[in-house]
């Protein structure tokens, strides 16, 4: 029999303390052994995080540039619409002025014809 059942309390306590110490030493040894790979993995994670942050910043920049382009296009479109509306209003105003000028000219021509008829009638009567 390997293990005798007549262990005292102090023997059990010392065996438990030794087991804890052995576990702690094993943990420390494993930690020290894994330190270079842990550092390499940590550096790799930091590089990945930096690349991710750079890509996010690039996406934000592109988004802002696209937003600015959209705003510029909207301003340009509004300016073009206002210019078209102004040109349309100017064209309507010019057409109205032309129509008024033609009406005035027609009235002047009718008045001239009427005055000529009146003058001819007066000439025939005298």
């Amino acid at each position: 029999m390997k293990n005798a059942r007549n262990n005292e309390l102090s023997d059990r306590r010392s065996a438990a303390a030794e087991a804890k110490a052995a576990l702690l030493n094993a943990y420390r040894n494993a930690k020290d052994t894994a330190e270079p790979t842990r550092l390499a993995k940590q550096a790799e994670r930091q590089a990945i995080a930096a690349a991710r942050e750079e890509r996010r910043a690039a996406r934000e920049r592109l988004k802002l540039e696209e937003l600015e382009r959209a705003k510029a296009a909207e301003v340009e479109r509004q300016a073009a619409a206002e210019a078209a509306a102004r040109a349309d209003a100017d064209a309507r105003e010019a057409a109205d002025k032309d129509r008024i000028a033609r009406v005035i000219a027609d009235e002047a021509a009718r008045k001239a014809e009427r005055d000529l008829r009146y003058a001819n009638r007066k000439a025939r009567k005298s």
Side-chain angles (χ1 to χ4, degrees):
M1 288 173 77
K2 283 202 247 173
N3 196 2
R5 288 285 185 189
N6 57 3
N7 288 354
E8 295 292 323
L9 177 64
S10 61
D11 293 337
R12 289 193 310 257
R13 289 177 85 187
S14 66
E18 289 171 5
K20 282 183 182 179
L23 282 174
L24 183 61
N25 287 334
Y27 170 74
R28 286 183 183 151
N29 288 336
K31 183 179 170 186
D32 291 340
T33 310
E35 185 69 22
T37 57
R38 185 186 67 80
L39 291 175
K41 285 182 182 180
Q42 184 179 14
E44 182 181 357
R45 286 187 198 117
Q46 287 175 345
I48 290 171
R52 184 182 309 125
E53 182 62 27
E54 187 176 320
R55 287 191 307 269
R56 186 196 61 75
R59 278 194 309 270
E60 287 293 322
R61 252 192 332 273
L62 287 174
K63 197 182 293 185
L64 287 174
E65 289 172 1
E66 182 63 31
L67 185 63
E68 288 173 3
R69 267 183 273 165
K71 284 181 181 179
E74 178 65 21
V75 166
E76 186 177 315
R77 187 190 63 74
Q78 284 181 345
E82 288 174 4
R86 218 175 302 120
D88 189 36
D90 291 345
R92 274 198 308 269
E93 187 177 327
D96 288 344
K97 285 181 180 179
D98 184 47
R99 192 176 320 113
I100 290 170
R102 279 185 289 146
V103 166
I104 290 173
D106 287 346
E107 294 227 4
R110 276 193 293 241
K111 185 175 186 302
E113 287 178 18
R114 190 176 63 233
D115 290 347
L116 182 63
R117 282 195 313 260
Y118 181 72
N120 285 341
R121 203 168 44 231
K122 281 281 196 179
R124 276 193 312 249
K125 286 186 180 179
S126 2

